[in-house]
Each structure stands twice: as C-alpha cells, then as structure tokens.
Amino acid sequence: MKEIKNISRSKAQESSAAIERLYITMRHLFNRGFYKPMGVSGDTLREALLELSPEIYGSIAEEKVELSGLLYVIERLPVGIEECRYINLTSDEGYSKSHFQAIVPPKRKRNCYRIDEEQMNVEITRGRSDIYDILTHLTFIFIESHKIKDRVLEDEEGKLSRDWQKLEQAVLQTKKLTQVEKEKAISHTANVLGRTFIEVLDIYDSFGTKEKPDRFLHVIYWLGKLAIEEIIDNNKRTITFSPILRERLGHHIHGEIWATRIKQVLKENKLIDRPIHIISANMHSVMNSLFATHVLGTKFKGKSEFDIFQELSKQGAHDVRDKVEAFAVQHGMISLPDESGTNIDVQIFDTAKIDWKKSAFPTAKIEKEFPVLIVMDYAFGEQAFETIDELLKPFKNGKDKKLINVASVSIMGKAGILQGGKGDIMIPSAHINEGTADNYPFENQLTAEMFEGNGIPVFAGPMITVLGTSLQNKELLKFFHESTWEVIGLEMEGAYYQKAIQSASKIRKSIPENVKVRYAYYASDNPLETGSTLASGGLGTTGVKPTYLITIKILEQIFNIK
C-alpha cells in the first residue's frame, strides 16, 4: 500500500470545511437552546467565520473595523439591536397582537420586537436559512464590537481612551450635532475604528435614518460599550431560541397556512380547475409587464416600455404604481398580502378577465382554457422548498383531495454572478446544492439565445445553491467556477424549488409529470470582483431591464407568443 504523505488542503477545501462547521455548530446551538456568542459556546462559530473570511464581511480578519460589511448587516437587522444584550429568536408567538411595535429591518422582511432596554425578540418564520442568516450576521457584528473594545480599552482596570470618551459625549448629548461637532466626533470615531476620516465620512450618512441622522456614531458606541462590559463586568451577550421555535421549525407550519389560503381563493373564484402557472418573482414585474404600457402610454408618450418600467421603479412613483395596480385589479388580479408569517405576498391573475387589446400581449394565443397565474414574492433559502412543496400538494376539501393542474413553474430571481457583472442574466442548466452531493439537472424552457440582442450579456450553465450568500469567499467560488463544475453563479433557492418540483411531478404525482420549468436570474453582484460584492450597494436602476426582460420572456411562453 502506497504511503500517503503531507497532503495539504487547498484554501477552497478549508473554506468548505469551515462552512460545514458553521452549520453543524449553529444546528447544535439551536438544539441546545441558548449560547453566548463571545463566550466559550460561541468559539467554534467565531473561529469558523474568521477562517472563512467571507467576501461580504471584508476585513473581518484584520484589526481595523469593517465598514461596508457592517452597513450590509445593520440594514438586515432591527434598529436598536446593537443596544441589546439579550437576543431571543422566536416563532410567531402573538407579539403582533400586543402593544409592542414591530420593527422590520429595511433590507430583510422579519418582524422584530424590542421587549425592554436589554432584549430584542426576532421572529423566525422562514425556516432554517433565516436562522443561519441572522446568526452569522450577529457573529460578525460581535467580532467587530470586540475590535472596537480592543482599540479603546487601555488596561484591565477599565481605563478608556480619550477618543472613546469624546465619542461617548457626542452620542449621549440630546441635541442635534452641529456640522463642527459631527466632524469632531467622526475624527475620534475614525481613530476608534482604525479607519481614515474620509472612509468614515463617506459611509456615515448611509447608516442614518430620518429620526437618527447620526446613527453611525450610535451603532459604533453601543457595539463597543457592550463589548467593554463583557470584559470588565463579565456581562456576556446571550442569544436564546424560544421553546416554541425549536418545536415548530421544520414542520412547514407557515408554508401550509400560506398554500392552503391560496388554494381556497382559487376554489372560491372557480379557478382551481384551470391550468395554473406559478411564477416566483417580485410583486410588480408581472403586473407591470401586463398592463403598464397601456395604462401609462399616454403619460409617458414616446418612451419605450423599459423606460416606463424605469419610471415605475423610481422612489416616490406611488401615483403611477397605484394607477397600474387599480387597472390590474379591474382586469383579473387578486392581491393576497401575507397573513401566514412566511412574508411571501401573492398575486393571482385570472387571464380570462384580461382585455388582451389593453395589455402588452395582444397576440396571446390561449389554448382551450385561460391560464391562471400565481405570482409569489421571493422565498428565502430553504423556505423555497417549504412553500412550493405545500403549494404543489393536492387541495384537501373535507375528505376529498383535488390535484392541481400546474402547467409550469417559473423562477425569476437575483443571484451572484461569477463571470460578468451587475445586471447580466444567467440561465441555469442545473442546480448544485452546496455542502452536499445533491444536484438537480433539468430542462430549462428558457435559453440564452432568447435573451440575446437586448444589450445585456447572457451566461448559461450550472448554478450553485449556497447555504448563505454571506458565507462565500473567493477561493470557494473560484473552485466552483474554474473546476469541471463550471458554475456561472450562486443563489439560495434554486435547488430547493427543484427538489419540490421533482418530488411532486416524478414521485408523488400530485402535479403533471410534464410540468415545464423556467429559471432565469439577473446578477445583483459579482463576489469574485473586489468592490462588486453585495456589500457594495444595490443595483439601483441597473436591475430594471433584466428583471422585466426575464418576466416578459416567461409570459410570452405562457401565452404562446413566438
């Protein structure tokens, strides 16, 4: 037998192992019920995240505090969480019926409740991916908080640097800071963070809100303050998981409520026997693609349909958006805002009520029965399996079970791209589930050729469904892109959608075996390019054209337009 000597692991293999450790650790801590992120129980999580050093968290492994990554995370956590020593992850346990006001992070749909000065409750109703997401974000900000502590705590007796004392004075004063006071505070804070004055100034306003324009100082102060108290007073921050959350997780409770309501509405409106096309997209692209050019054509005379979509996407365009929505409701759209806790709104379109001459698809060829469109908002990670799996199940009406005639499932989403840039389009031929040997090849009804000639680069090939976009680093992504996997992009839901579709069509036979599937993504970032990760900011209007181009191609196939 040949002796195996000194086989060194590549950085990609180490990163893959670090991701695996992160997820095993998070599952273990969840089963345990509580842990202290900066204590012994949080060691493995911190060490794995530091070893991985994901691109989105920038300089997490360096001494200086990471600013872009901190902004990305803060926008996905509830306002005030930096002040809280106790963070309790709960299921939907009735807080919406209390005096507590829901706090919804600007960039992540989840209800959070400030229980008192020290405690924040965060509702987890979207499955395990939501827990993984929030725990990695919290681990990141706690690591950063200890960097602040290391820079301002001058001895074990608790002596604090002058810069910290000046920052504290600025944060604790009640009146609004003058420009001079603000710049003095930024100067001291830059020293605290190990950053330049201009670096802090450039990102300062991005943290601000109308109520708190100087929120950046507030966030840095409270992160540092709690980290200092962890060392001086041994008063550790604690994350707990409620017993109800631990009991409910994985049982599709919210997904079942969500799917049952949709089927009941279909039945009440006599739509359940018709051919059904499910589209996962946002809550405006299908509606606007159908009706916006007719409703707004005279207002935006001489503008192309994509120009009109740009106008609709602008901030403050409520009047024109409301006009299109009112017209859509008159012509067969039923709006179902979420009541289940999934945070997935739904629109149902009865195409029999569409006046095709007043739509953007006057040449639609409807075969036999008018199709019904179910448009669902984006799912989050593993939640995609929970929701689609429940939606594709037969409709139970007493003892009767009614199969649903699902003709197609179309997924339009945003994803990270590994070749190309923001706004480019990706057409997957298979989804590979990161961390497992699971892979899902499929026949995609959309092809790269369909999108050519529109001024947008298009790429086709396998895509990887990652356990969390915030946990990817360059070495791991380069491996998937440059090896024989030849992955073109990464997203969080594709494999979960396909797993549900394949089991329903091929094994459980609850939907037709020949159900058509369509997947297309537009690039929100390129994690292999420095300065192009998700932490570099949103797409702005760059995402408008690819979003609507994909939506229109999906609708053209459903309406048999060649």
Side-chain angles (χ1 to χ4, degrees), residues 35 45-46 49 134-143:
Y35 77 105
L45 215 53
R46 295 197 312 276
L49 197 62
I134 198 164
L135 289 189
T136 50
H137 287 344
L138 289 172
T139 303
F140 165 73
I141 65 167
F142 291 164
I143 288 171

Side-chain angles (χ1 to χ4, degrees), residues 209-235:
T209 62
K210 280 185 182 177
E211 297 77 26
K212 287 186 176 177
D214 300 306
R215 186 173 173 231
F216 177 80
L217 301 177
H218 190 273
V219 168
I220 298 302
Y221 171 71
W222 279 98
L223 286 178
K225 178 179 166 64
L226 294 189
I228 291 163
E229 288 175 4
E230 283 187 317
I231 298 303
I232 301 298
D233 306 323
N234 198 28
N235 205 348

Side-chain angles (χ1 to χ4, degrees), residues 132-179:
Y132 302 154
D133 184 63
I134 198 164
L135 289 189
T136 50
H137 287 344
L138 289 172
T139 303
F140 165 73
I141 65 167
F142 291 164
I143 288 171
E144 296 302 299
S145 74
H146 273 249
K147 289 185 193 175
I148 297 167
K149 176 266 299 175
D150 290 341
R151 296 186 72 90
V152 302
L153 195 58
E154 295 185 344
D155 59 34
E156 292 177 3
E157 305 300 315
K159 187 185 177 189
L160 296 163
S161 71
R162 178 174 177 273
D163 286 313
W164 179 259
Q165 291 167 19
K166 293 293 183 182
L167 169 61
E168 185 173 52
Q169 282 174 19
V171 169
L172 297 182
Q173 75 172 48
T174 50
K175 66 180 195 304
K176 187 182 174 185
L177 294 176
T178 65
Q179 185 65 23

Side-chain angles (χ1 to χ4, degrees), residues 417 421-425 456-457 521-525 539 542-543 545-547:
I417 196 168
K422 287 186 179 186
D424 293 354
I425 289 175
I456 298 175
Y521 299 88
Y522 60 92
S524 57
D525 65 299
L539 273 169
T542 311
K545 188 172 180 180
T547 298

Side-chain angles (χ1 to χ4, degrees), residues 431-445:
H431 283 114
I432 301 151
N433 214 346
E434 182 185 46
T436 72
D438 299 351
N439 52 80
Y440 300 89
F442 50 84
E443 187 181 341
N444 195 342
Q445 298 298 307

Side-chain angles (χ1 to χ4, degrees), residues 218-268:
H218 190 273
V219 168
I220 298 302
Y221 171 71
W222 279 98
L223 286 178
K225 178 179 166 64
L226 294 189
I228 291 163
E229 288 175 4
E230 283 187 317
I231 298 303
I232 301 298
D233 306 323
N234 198 28
N235 205 348
K236 296 273 192 283
R237 285 168 283 195
T238 305
I239 293 173
T240 53
F241 306 90
S242 81
I244 304 297
L245 175 64
R246 292 160 70 203
E247 180 187 303
R248 287 180 179 175
L249 194 74
H251 294 297
H252 289 200
I253 288 168
H254 301 286
E256 185 179 1
I257 296 166
W258 175 83
T260 302
R261 182 182 175 216
I262 294 168
K263 293 170 196 171
Q264 283 170 340
V265 171
L266 291 173
K267 184 173 183 293
E268 288 162 11

Side-chain angles (χ1 to χ4, degrees), residues 9 20 57 122 125 153 171 178 196-197 246 324 346 427 471 486 496:
R9 293 195 306 167
E20 192 174 356
Y57 294 150
V122 181
T125 57
L153 195 58
V171 169
T178 65
T196 65
F197 177 85
R246 292 160 70 203
V324 178
V346 170
I427 308 296
L471 290 179
E486 294 184 333
Y496 298 116

